[in-house]
Amino acid sequence: MTGSALIPVTVLTGFLGSGKTTVMNHLLRQPGMDGVVAIINEFGEVGLDHLLVETSEERFALLDNGCVCCSVREDLVTLLDELSARQAGRAVPPIRRILIETTGLADPVPVLHTLMTAPSVVSRYRIDGVVVTVDAVNALRSLDNHAEAVKQIAVADRILLTKTDLAEAASVAELERRIGAINPTVSVMRVNHGCVEPGAVLEAGLFTPDARSGQVASWFAAAAAAIAAQEHASHHQHHHAHGSDVSSFSLIVNEPIQWAAFSRWLDYVAALKGDDLLRFKGLINVADRPQGPVVVHAVQHVLHPPVTMEAWPSDDRSSRLVFIVRDIPAEAIERTLARFGEISRDSIVRPAA
Amino acid sequence: MSEIKTNADTLFRNGRIYTVDRSRPWVSCAAVKAGRFVAIGEESDVKAAVGLDTVVVDLGGRMAMPGIIDIHNHIMMGGQADLYELRFPSNHSISQIAAAVKQAAEKAAPGSWIVGGQFGSDLLVRLNTDDAAVELNAASLGHPVLLRDDSYHNRWASAEALRIAGVAADTQNPVDGEIGRDLRSGNLTGLMVEAASGIVERALAKAGHYTAEMDRAAVARSIGVLNSFGVTGFVDAASMQPILAALKGLDDRGVLSAWAVCAMPIVEPGFMFGTAGDELFALRDQFRSAHVRPDYAKMFLDGVPGAKTAAFHEPYIADPVRGCCFRGATMLTVPELIRWLGKCEKLGLGAKIHCAGDAAVTQALDAIEVVRSFNGPTNLIHHIAHASYIAPDDIKRFADLGVAADLSPIIWFPTVFLEAHKAAMGTERAERFWPNRDLNDVGVLMAGGSDWPVIPNPDPWHGIEGMVTRRNPAGDFPGASLWPEQALGLETVLEIYTINAARAAGLGKITGSIEVGKSADLIVLDQKLFDIPADQIAETNVEMTFFEGRKVYERRQ
């Protein structure tokens, strides 16, 4: 379903003043960053000879595919196209990776949609991961006041918790609890003064074509366990993050899934509830592809090109789905998945805590 | 201090009043005050409401019942054609059409448009020639002329009309349309096919040919026709801005004599032009009034079976153009329909979805099921319009999802439409048409409609008789019946035309039955429907029509 020569793109976003630029500067000064192109929004000299630094403006365009809610960062498409052209003309050294920094408190979704939908981008690049910096001192307030802050956490693969040395231990714990409530599947790492290993940020790698199925399966197992733990802790059927209507739940499907029916179902859900389907990840047992699972993920109404795995990590052939949603009842997902995904209702279960 | 009047304004007495209220179907008297029924029953039940100043209407033992609701019509078109258009039958030859145009042109004010119709769509090839264009242009005497065909999909325009519309020799065909050109000379012929019609129609609208006053008069004329058949409420199935404005204008002047529910198109329908979709929705409260309710959106999922544009699960009969396996296509995908329905529900709009083929019905139900699953219960009632070819598994889904079956146009008995369907898909399939009994058995909300002017006459009595007999009430196709097992009893059919249609139109608490508190929409008939053979129902004459207690029609003897 996807080739293997795609250039990985890491999206770095974060709350205002959360130390995003500090992390960026630290990363770019580490050894072994040759071939990494950083795209930043704001000017600011990152004067390193072996790096390319590009800037982009905030310009938005509607995607001409009838999908009005899908905004694409036109400037980003242009920039990535130019980079490809320059590389093809050997005007720049081979590009190994792109690192995009977005403005603080921006909605990261348009950047993700650009990376997932613009044809020229999709054919050359792939999202590697979304990394969000969250500062331990101010984040609780941001989460209460800014929907974008909640969204950033909801779409994150990695969270870098900054300024933990300046915050009370109790409030750091509370923040970690809040993050877990919004996105139980995210990995949270504390960093001080931007000191972070490049590998921890850049090698999210979960949805790469060469990821080992074992890693992916254990990610889903961990995510399901995290969600179950949240449910248990809150005595809710599925967990509602305190102070927001964002919730998460996971499902297991115990029969092979027809791909056509499944993608039809996903199209239907995305058409109605795309805005509220903040993040969806699935490890799918596709009926006519028994040798290995297909990994899918979606950000709002946009589905990332599916990734096929060559083998199953264990005898467990169930499909696993993880949802981070705003105000979507799990029951409606289950009912419509059974109906339009052509799956027996009894085969769809929630993992035990 | 003036005394507050407590007596009824009007008392209907000595009637056989069929209330369509199951708890009390028959009464002899109904008292009305301020447009509402205030007392219903026998003489003794209404006595207290009657005073010296109450106007008494003696029904003389005649049958009365609630006013009829037409769930689907196009309220501007009939009146507009009647009042302002050159009318000629669709079997007119090109020369006959030219003669009619010439006669109109001689009388028309200088520079004014001549609009008319409908020419037979079988003329399209012959119209698309230099010879025909010369004939029309000579007859036009320099006037802009715009003629519509019987399908409302195509137009024939004079050279002056093309000039005003900016159509020149080098004008490109629009998407999904064709600007007619003589095959040999390449000259414009004036024929405008499908989407090309919009180019001339928009020029006509821009020219101000129809003023707001004319629009009001046209709508008033149409409603007058409806009132004469006992109709006191309707859903206009494609409400563009001029229609909304005309209805509101009439209501503001206190002369709107029916409940007007409006379904605003999500995109320009093929036969009307102007603002649609979000832009039109945004204007709706500006047109809302006591009797005008812009509470529905209209969407077209497919075309019609006769032209093989309806979407079916099984293929049409093979033909040279479409090949062996053509099933028709839908104009919206299910996700697109889901997105529109989601938007409509947010705005509080019900959806009226045109679905002529069974595959279109399935897709509409799928979309509604998705929306229902996520949005939960709603008071909005979505309509599947022309719910006529329905896969057996879908029948019950109407009931489960609370979807109303809009039964229109009036063709649930043998008609020329059925003959065209037989040609398109074979007799056996064509006759699995209008499973009304099946829908009723599982409790689907069904509502009767005319689709006027698709059917040239919005007479509901033909529909009521045909729903009971499944035979053609006009006597065409004698001896033939359509799927007679799907016939319904009169009691059920009267509900379909009154209270059930009112519910589907969002008027169920206001009208549709004769109950205390409801609008005094009452009609008096010249025969007792339950006492006559079913094949005489179509001959029913409406003697009087009351809307909110006000007499809006009386039959001349």
Side-chain angles (χ1 to χ4, degrees):
Chain A
M1 295 180 185
T2 50
S4 55
L6 303 178
I7 299 169
V9 180
T10 301
V11 177
L12 177 64
T13 182
F15 297 7
L16 282 171
S18 63
K20 180 163 39 88
T21 308
T22 312
V23 167
M24 185 76 150
N25 287 341
H26 175 82
L27 275 180
L28 295 179
R29 286 182 168 82
Q30 299 308 299
M33 294 291 281
D34 307 45
V36 174
V37 174
I39 298 175
I40 61 173
N41 266 286
E42 287 111 343
F43 286 95
E45 283 302 310
V46 187
L48 299 170
D49 298 339
H50 64 289
L51 293 175
L52 280 165
V53 176
E54 302 283 344
T55 62
S56 70
E57 305 159 36
E58 292 274 352
R59 243 182 329 134
F60 293 84
L62 287 181
L63 199 64
D64 186 26
N65 63 357
C67 168
V68 286
C69 43
C70 184
S71 51
V72 158
R73 289 284 305 272
E74 204 183 37
D75 53 340
L76 185 57
V77 175
T78 310
L79 212 113
L80 291 173
D81 286 351
E82 276 168 17
L83 280 173
S84 305
R86 277 153 64 184
Q87 181 173 243
R90 298 182 187 277
V92 293
I95 299 170
R96 285 196 301 113
R97 174 179 296 276
I98 307 279
L99 185 55
I100 300 175
E101 181 195 355
T102 74
T103 51
L105 267 194
D107 181 350
V109 166
V111 167
L112 298 178
H113 283 176
T114 305
L115 296 170
M116 293 162 86
T117 59
S120 62
V121 176
V122 172
S123 64
R124 296 194 191 95
Y125 302 90
R126 63 174 175 81
I127 299 178
D128 185 52
V130 181
V131 179
V132 179
T133 54
V134 175
D135 100 66
V137 178
N138 297 309
L140 283 171
R141 203 165 35 220
S142 298
L143 285 171
D144 288 337
N145 297 325
H146 299 286
E148 288 85 352
V150 177
K151 208 166 174 183
Q152 285 181 345
I153 288 178
V155 301
D157 297 301
R158 296 273 157 94
I159 284 176
L160 305 179
L161 210 51
T162 61
K163 305 186 190 173
T164 49
D165 52 335
L166 303 178
E168 300 278 333
S171 73
V172 175
E174 167 63 8
L175 178 59
E176 285 179 326
R177 200 196 60 72
R178 281 285 290 280
I179 290 170
I182 295 166
N183 185 346
T185 71
V186 75
S187 72
V188 182
M189 185 187 299
R190 297 186 185 195
V191 296
N192 284 318
H193 310 294
C195 297
V196 59
E197 280 294 304
V201 175
L202 302 180
E203 305 288 319
L206 183 56
F207 297 102
T208 66
D210 51 355
R212 288 195 305 278
S213 59
Q215 291 174 333
V216 177
S218 37
W219 182 89
F220 277 96
I227 290 170
Q230 286 287 350
E231 283 173 14
H232 184 72
S234 64
H235 303 287
H236 272 90
Q237 243 187 336
H238 61 273
H239 187 76
H240 277 274
H242 174 74
S244 80
D245 45 9
V246 173
S247 64
S248 51
F249 52 89
S250 66
L251 302 176
I252 291 175
V253 179
N254 288 317
E255 69 179 51
I257 293 176
Q258 305 293 331
W259 180 256
F262 178 77
S263 57
R264 174 180 68 178
W265 167 77
L266 201 53
D267 281 348
Y268 290 4
V269 175
L272 186 70
K273 288 287 169 187
D275 282 356
D276 301 324
L277 187 67
L278 297 176
R279 200 80 201 255
F280 160 65
K281 298 183 191 185
L283 177 77
I284 310 295
N285 179 349
V286 176
D288 58 2
R289 202 184 176 283
Q291 67 270 34
V294 175
V295 179
V296 293
H297 70 132
V299 175
Q300 293 194 325
H301 61 285
V302 176
L303 181 67
H304 190 271
V307 176
T308 53
M309 300 270 152
E310 285 318 309
W312 285 90
S314 71
D315 289 340
D316 183 356
R317 297 294 149 90
S318 58
S319 298
R320 289 145 243 187
L321 312 177
V322 170
F323 300 86
I324 299 173
V325 299
R326 187 166 46 208
D327 241 358
I328 302 178
E331 294 75 17
I333 291 281
E334 291 166 348
R335 194 174 340 128
T336 54
L337 177 60
R339 173 81 176 84
F340 296 103
E342 294 174 11
I343 295 164
S344 149
R345 185 66 187 77
D346 298 337
S347 293
I348 303 173
V349 295
R350 299 191 199 169
Chain B
M1 212 174 95
S2 66
E3 195 179 337
I4 297 167
K5 184 167 166 279
T6 54
N7 298 329
D9 303 323
T10 310
L11 171 68
F12 296 100
R13 61 173 298 274
N14 189 28
R16 290 282 293 150
I17 303 177
Y18 186 58
T19 62
V20 197
D21 172 7
R22 286 183 185 183
S23 67
R24 182 154 68 161
W26 293 98
V27 296
S28 64
C29 300
V32 177
K33 184 173 160 52
R36 298 289 178 270
F37 292 115
V38 290
I40 286 162
E42 303 311 315
E43 296 279 353
S44 56
D45 299 317
V46 298
K47 207 163 60 184
V50 178
L52 287 174
D53 50 353
T54 300
V55 175
V56 176
V57 179
D58 188 333
L59 296 176
R62 287 175 297 185
M63 180 174 173
M65 59 175 276
I68 284 168
I69 310 296
D70 185 345
I71 202 67
H72 193 130
N73 66 33
H74 299 280
I75 200 65
M76 180 91 97
M77 292 164 95
Q80 212 168 46
D82 257 13
L83 294 179
Y84 306 117
E85 292 172 13
L86 172 64
R87 307 307 302 162
F88 52 84
S90 55
N91 60 6
H92 253 31
S93 66
I94 292 174
S95 302
Q96 286 172 307
I97 294 170
V101 167
K102 182 152 189 247
Q103 218 176 5
E106 280 162 354
K107 285 183 271 177
S112 67
W113 283 72
I114 294 164
V115 180
Q118 285 107 324
F119 62 85
S121 37
D122 55 325
L123 284 182
L124 293 180
V125 174
R126 269 171 289 162
L127 292 179
N128 198 26
T129 58
D130 284 340
D131 290 348
V134 165
E135 210 168 337
L136 177 65
N137 288 328
S140 72
L141 307 177
H143 285 276
V145 177
L146 173 60
L147 305 177
R148 301 175 178 128
D149 77 348
D150 53 8
S151 76
Y152 268 95
H153 283 247
N154 312 301
R155 305 290 186 273
W156 192 28
S158 70
E160 177 64 2
L162 293 180
R163 188 193 65 75
I164 294 170
V167 178
D170 58 349
T171 305
Q172 300 280 311
N173 286 337
V175 177
D176 298 328
E178 186 191 335
I179 297 170
R181 291 177 166 91
D182 183 281
L183 284 179
R184 273 184 230 128
S185 71
N187 295 331
L188 296 174
T189 60
L191 182 69
M192 306 295 271
V193 177
E194 296 286 349
S197 303
I199 303 173
V200 193
E201 288 281 359
R202 284 191 199 93
L204 174 72
K206 208 173 154 196
H209 177 70
Y210 295 113
T211 63
E213 196 181 345
M214 287 164 78
D215 287 344
R216 283 196 300 275
V219 167
R221 171 75 147 233
S222 295
I223 293 173
V225 172
L226 292 180
N227 287 160
S228 77
F229 288 118
V231 175
T232 53
F234 61 88
V235 179
D236 179 68
S239 299
M240 306 297 277
Q241 219 174 325
I243 298 175
L244 291 160
L247 289 165
K248 170 74 157 59
L250 291 173
D251 210 17
D252 286 348
R253 288 162 178 78
V255 294
L256 186 65
S257 58
W259 299 97
V261 177
C262 302
M264 300 164 287
I266 60 167
V267 293
E268 280 183 337
F271 52 94
M272 283 182 181
F273 306 90
T275 306
D278 295 335
E279 258 184 276
L280 185 59
F281 298 167
L283 301 173
R284 67 190 178 121
D285 282 328
Q286 149 186 349
F287 298 115
R288 182 180 301 284
S289 64
H291 306 104
V292 180
R293 296 164 179 241
D295 290 335
Y296 288 78
K298 175 67 179 294
M299 35 209 95
F300 289 85
L301 215 47
D302 65 351
V304 294
K308 298 193 178 179
T309 50
F312 280 93
H313 289 295
E314 297 298 320
Y316 289 104
I317 287 175
D319 67 41
V321 178
R322 299 172 188 84
C324 69
C325 310
F326 183 69
R327 292 172 161 82
T330 51
M331 300 172 201
L332 293 171
T333 64
V334 176
E336 284 168 334
L337 184 56
I338 289 170
R339 206 172 288 133
W340 274 110
L341 288 170
K343 181 183 285 186
C344 287
E345 293 206 349
K346 267 187 196 152
L347 293 171
L349 294 170
K352 195 178 197 55
I353 311 169
H354 171 115
C355 302
D358 58 7
V361 171
T362 301
Q363 291 184 25
L365 290 169
D366 285 354
I368 292 168
E369 184 173 338
V370 169
V371 174
R372 221 35 330 101
S373 295
F374 285 96
N375 287 7
T378 174
N379 291 327
L380 299 172
I381 297 177
H382 302 309
H383 300 183
I384 288 185
H386 326 299
S388 50
Y389 286 108
I390 307 173
D393 287 350
D394 282 339
I395 299 267
K396 191 163 184 303
R397 296 178 73 200
F398 277 77
D400 295 343
L401 295 167
V403 173
D406 161 337
L407 306 177
S408 74
I410 307 169
I411 50 173
W412 33 86
F413 40 76
T415 57
V416 290
F417 289 88
L418 182 63
E419 297 307 299
H421 297 181
K422 287 178 186 171
M425 57 182 137
T427 299
E428 195 187 329
R429 263 177 67 199
E431 290 187 336
R432 306 291 287 178
F433 195 32
W434 302 104
N436 295 347
R437 171 73 184 269
D438 293 344
L439 289 167
N440 187 60
D441 283 350
V442 297
V444 176
L445 181 63
M446 302 159 75
S450 66
D451 207 3
W452 184 37
V454 170
I455 292 296
N457 190 337
D459 179 351
W461 305 100
H462 276 248
I464 291 168
E465 176 179 317
M467 223 176 254
V468 175
T469 65
R470 304 288 288 200
R471 291 170 184 271
N472 188 304
D476 302 341
F477 305 91
S481 61
L482 168 62
W483 203 359
E485 294 81 2
Q486 296 296 334
L488 293 171
L490 179 59
E491 202 176 332
T492 302
V493 174
L494 290 181
E495 286 182 346
I496 287 172
Y497 268 86
T498 55
I499 184 63
N500 289 355
R503 285 185 186 129
L507 300 170
K509 294 196 168 110
I510 295 171
T511 185
S513 61
I514 294 174
E515 292 180 72
V516 169
K518 280 196 169 181
S519 180
D521 305 338
L522 177 142
I523 60 178
V524 182
L525 310 180
D526 71 343
Q527 51 180 359
K528 297 188 179 68
L529 299 177
F530 289 95
D531 298 347
I532 57 171
D535 63 4
Q536 287 173 26
I537 295 170
E539 286 143 49
T540 302
N541 289 301
V542 174
E543 302 271 3
M544 288 186 280
T545 300
F546 293 85
F547 175 66
E548 292 194 316
R550 176 165 62 92
K551 196 194 305 176
V552 294
Y553 169 75
E554 180 157 21
R555 185 176 172 226
R556 288 195 193 88
Q557 297 301 320

